């Protein structure tokens, strides 16, 4: 059963809290298939995994690909608590996801609305539907708390 955007964003927030607890920048993501089932989840973990590509989105998309046995995740929606960077936006295009839903805007590195809209380039033959600002306030609050504790 397909639930609301807020429902899935709460699942992504759960992932962000896992990142927070692990000392990683608290960003979380889930991938939901066309039937509304969560098929992938991931949190930010570049430090623990010694992996510059260890962003929440990439980890969730990898898990979904393994689970579905296909690197193309057609019909899937990616929910992420923070506006994606260029690497993650590019990975979404490779994955052919149908839709992106994100929480807080990322004014420094966001590549969907803040710095540019990479996904809206006319030379991409795959278009992704975008919804921003879902549960933006708690996502932002968690990031603020994380960086306040780091200082
Ligand atoms: Zn990223």
């Amino acid at each position: 059963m397909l639930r609301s955007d807020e429902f899935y964003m709460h699942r992504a927030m759960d992932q962000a809290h896992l990142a927070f607890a692990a000392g990683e920048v608290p960003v979380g993501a889930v991938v939901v298939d066309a039937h509304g089932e969560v098929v992938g989840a991931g949190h930010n973990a570049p430090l623990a995994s010694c992996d510059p590509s260890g962003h929440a989105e990439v980890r969730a998309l990898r898990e979904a690909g393994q689970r579905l046995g296909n690197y193309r995740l057609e019909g899937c929606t990616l929910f992420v608590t923070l506006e994606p960077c260029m690497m993650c936006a590019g990975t979404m295009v490779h994955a052919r996801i149908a839709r992106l839903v994100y929480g807080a805007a990322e004014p420094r590195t966001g590549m969907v609305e803040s710095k540019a809209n990479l996904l809206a380039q006319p030379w991409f033959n795959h278009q992704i539907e975008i919804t921003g600002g879902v549960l933006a306030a708690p996502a932002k609050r968690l990031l603020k708390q994380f960086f306040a504790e780091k200082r």
Side-chain angles (χ1 to χ4, degrees), residues 44-140:
N44 215 30
L47 299 176
S49 58
C50 301
D51 178 5
S53 71
H55 289 188
E57 300 95 311
V58 169
R59 292 168 64 91
L61 289 166
R62 276 188 188 139
E63 192 176 286
Q66 291 293 314
R67 176 103 173 255
L68 302 176
N70 194 339
Y71 79 99
R72 289 207 164 154
L73 305 173
E74 277 166 45
C76 288
T77 299
L78 178 81
F79 292 81
V80 59
T81 57
L82 185 67
E83 183 185 355
C85 73
M86 61 181 178
M87 171 185 72
C88 292
T91 306
M92 285 169 214
V93 173
H94 286 295
R96 301 283 192 275
I97 61 160
R99 191 171 170 238
L100 160 69
V101 181
Y102 66 92
E106 165 49 278
R108 291 176 308 114
T109 59
M111 280 294 176
V112 175
E113 68 165 89
S114 296
K115 286 289 185 230
N117 186 349
L118 203 56
L119 298 179
Q121 299 310 308
W123 32 267
F124 277 139
N125 58 12
H126 177 72
Q127 297 298 322
I128 296 174
E129 188 193 330
I130 303 167
T131 306
V134 176
L135 298 188
K140 215 187 245 180

Side-chain angles (χ1 to χ4, degrees), residues 9 13 16 26 81-82 103-104 134-144:
M9 193 59 86
M13 279 300 294
T81 57
L82 185 67
V134 176
L135 298 188
K140 215 187 245 180
R141 209 154 46 229
L142 190 65
L143 284 157
K144 251 193 184 148

